[in-house]
Amino acid sequence: MALIILGHPQIKESVANKAIIEEIQITNPEIEIRNLAELYPDFKIDIKEEQEALLRHEVIIFQYPLYWYNMPAILKHWFDVVFEHQFAYGSKGDKLKGKKVLVSVTVGSLEQEYRTFGKHNFRIAEFFKNIEQTAYFTQMTFLDPIFFHGTSAVDGFTQDEVKERAKMYANRLLNYVLKLK
């Protein structure tokens, strides 16, 4: 059905991403989930295995927390080594052509804090141009990212509140993916 590349480096300590993944595993176990930190704690990514996983699916979801307005290091490294020349791009690099890319990100702050001259100065979508360009360069179809805001205890959310909202978010994500078929 779909492939989730989970780029959370510490999923066991996570509240939001952990709850999202658990809900997806319960409600839709046919979705393949590749937990990068669990598979590659040493960052030695099996490139061929990851490429084969990409080839098995038409919808690729990148699930991760926003880290300093970017993706966690393990996910960036994954892109750097898996999206090889002549696989993802180049004269023979059309293996990802037509696949759909969906970025699903947990964000500590509220959505209204991501605006011009707001707390974070930019709209949230502006932080994902790198993945959008990567999708275009590799001939993939970039879908508008979806965000789960308000996941941080720093911003006043309890773990129980975040877990409950994360389950709802997971179901929203699944419904969105089902409509892509």
Side-chain angles (χ1 to χ4, degrees):
M1 177 183 179
L3 170 65
I4 294 177
I5 303 295
L6 176 60
H8 196 301
Q10 299 168 330
I11 193 69
K12 288 181 174 83
E13 288 80 36
S14 170
V15 177
N17 280 273
K18 184 177 177 182
I20 290 166
I21 294 301
E22 287 174 351
E23 183 70 12
I24 288 170
Q25 288 173 322
I26 291 167
T27 59
N28 222 320
E30 68 272 11
I31 291 181
E32 181 178 357
I33 299 170
R34 300 198 54 82
N35 180 341
L36 299 181
E38 182 179 282
L39 291 168
Y40 310 111
D42 57 1
F43 275 55
K44 293 180 182 170
I45 293 173
D46 184 330
I47 296 167
K48 295 302 174 207
E49 188 173 325
E50 294 304 310
Q51 290 174 344
E52 288 171 11
L54 289 167
L55 294 174
R56 286 193 294 271
H57 301 279
E58 292 305 311
V59 178
I60 314 300
I61 302 163
F62 294 100
Q63 177 67 52
Y64 61 92
L66 188 65
Y67 271 28
W68 286 106
Y69 311 106
N70 210 326
M71 64 183 71
I74 193 161
L75 184 56
K76 174 63 170 90
H77 179 61
W78 182 93
F79 272 104
D80 289 345
V81 299
V82 174
F83 278 38
E84 287 183 307
H85 183 253
Q86 303 301 27
F87 174 78
Y89 67 98
S91 61
K92 297 176 186 171
D94 63 352
K95 309 301 184 288
L96 302 174
K97 184 177 182 176
K99 293 185 182 289
K100 295 175 180 78
V101 175
L102 178 61
V103 177
S104 171
V105 178
T106 57
V107 183
S109 296
L110 296 171
E111 185 174 5
Q112 60 263 28
E113 294 178 351
Y114 284 89
R115 59 183 165 71
T116 305
F117 305 117
K119 181 178 179 180
H120 299 287
N121 199 42
F122 294 96
R123 292 180 309 277
I124 190 74
E126 293 180 71
F127 295 106
F128 298 89
K129 291 295 183 186
N130 57 339
I131 297 177
E132 183 176 6
Q133 179 57 34
T134 298
Y136 291 137
F137 191 69
T138 59
Q139 304 178 66
M140 300 172 84
T141 301
F142 182 77
L143 305 170
D144 287 336
I146 60 174
F147 308 104
F148 175 26
H149 287 273
T151 63
S152 173
V154 172
D155 286 325
F157 300 98
T158 69
Q159 284 192 8
D160 289 339
E161 288 172 329
V162 172
K163 284 179 190 176
E164 191 57 38
R165 290 175 38 246
K167 289 178 186 179
M168 293 187 305
Y169 176 87
N171 286 302
R172 189 177 107 207
L173 174 62
L174 288 171
N175 287 331
Y176 181 78
V177 170
L178 288 171
K179 289 178 186 177
L180 294 174
K181 293 290 176 183

